[in-house]
Amino acid sequence: MTNDQPGPEVLTEAEASRFLGEHLFAALTTVKRSGHPHLSQVIYKWDPAERIARVSSTTDRLKVRQLRNDPHIALYVASRDHTTYAVVEGTAEIIETTEPGDAAGRELLATGLGLPEATDEEAFRKQVEEGRVMIRIRAERLYGMALDLPPAMKEL
């Protein structure tokens, strides 16, 4: 991505999707009862084929409680130098682990977001004990931007 002049360049959906697949950390935005945004740092997994971002959490977390009240959600991912970003906007789906080895637990384990260091049996048991949930964000809107800055500006 280069321009004759430094400036912004809108990412195509394919470029935004590829960018999302290359990162691990994001800011997750939920909506407070007041209507204000609430942001939290999360680890996520992007599935480009399904256009779904997955985030592991627990039922007692503020973001989960807010999503139960208002499922509108956005996931913001930035490059280390902050010159590129992508956003997934959608409606959250919360999948709860209710018994060891259920569909939610298997999905968590498969993404690597749910206790991958434990054996399957241990992980499934711990997921239920912790009240672990999978937050799915199906991309209703996917967009991003990149800035083509001179190297000296990237160091600021």
Side-chain angles (χ1 to χ4, degrees):
M1 292 175 235
T2 57
N3 297 322
D4 291 339
Q5 298 284 331
E9 183 175 321
V10 175
L11 300 181
T12 65
E13 281 202 4
E15 289 170 330
S17 180
R18 186 171 38 259
F19 180 82
L20 289 165
E22 295 169 351
H23 292 83
L24 181 64
F25 292 95
L28 183 77
T29 307
T30 57
V31 182
K32 296 179 185 180
R33 287 189 189 273
S34 67
H36 292 91
H38 174 264
L39 286 90
S40 55
Q41 186 78 14
V42 297
I43 295 174
Y44 74 97
K45 178 86 175 209
W46 174 247
D47 182 332
E50 291 189 63
R51 291 174 46 102
I52 294 176
R54 290 178 169 87
V55 175
S56 174
S57 191
T58 57
T59 57
D60 61 343
R61 298 291 175 138
L62 182 58
K63 63 182 151 278
V64 173
R65 295 193 316 265
Q66 290 171 334
L67 288 169
R68 291 188 195 286
N69 183 54
D70 183 340
H72 293 97
I73 191 167
L75 188 78
Y76 169 85
V77 179
S79 61
R80 286 184 186 264
D81 64 5
H82 301 284
T83 59
T84 305
Y85 74 88
V87 177
V88 180
E89 290 181 355
T91 304
E93 180 183 5
I94 300 170
I95 310 300
E96 297 190 40
T97 55
T98 56
E99 59 182 65
D102 63 11
R106 289 192 308 275
E107 185 175 345
L108 277 163
L109 203 59
T111 63
L113 298 173
L115 308 167
E117 71 281 355
T119 67
D120 288 2
E121 186 177 310
E122 290 170 322
F124 291 143
R125 183 184 48 72
K126 193 158 186 170
Q127 289 168 350
V128 174
E129 287 174 7
E130 292 178 350
R132 190 128 314 259
V133 298
M134 172 68 72
I135 301 170
R136 289 187 197 145
I137 310 161
R138 189 172 306 278
E140 295 169 8
R141 184 167 181 232
L142 180 61
Y143 60 94
M145 188 164 294
L147 293 175
D148 185 19
L149 298 176
M153 287 184 72
K154 289 184 179 184
E155 296 173 12
L156 297 176

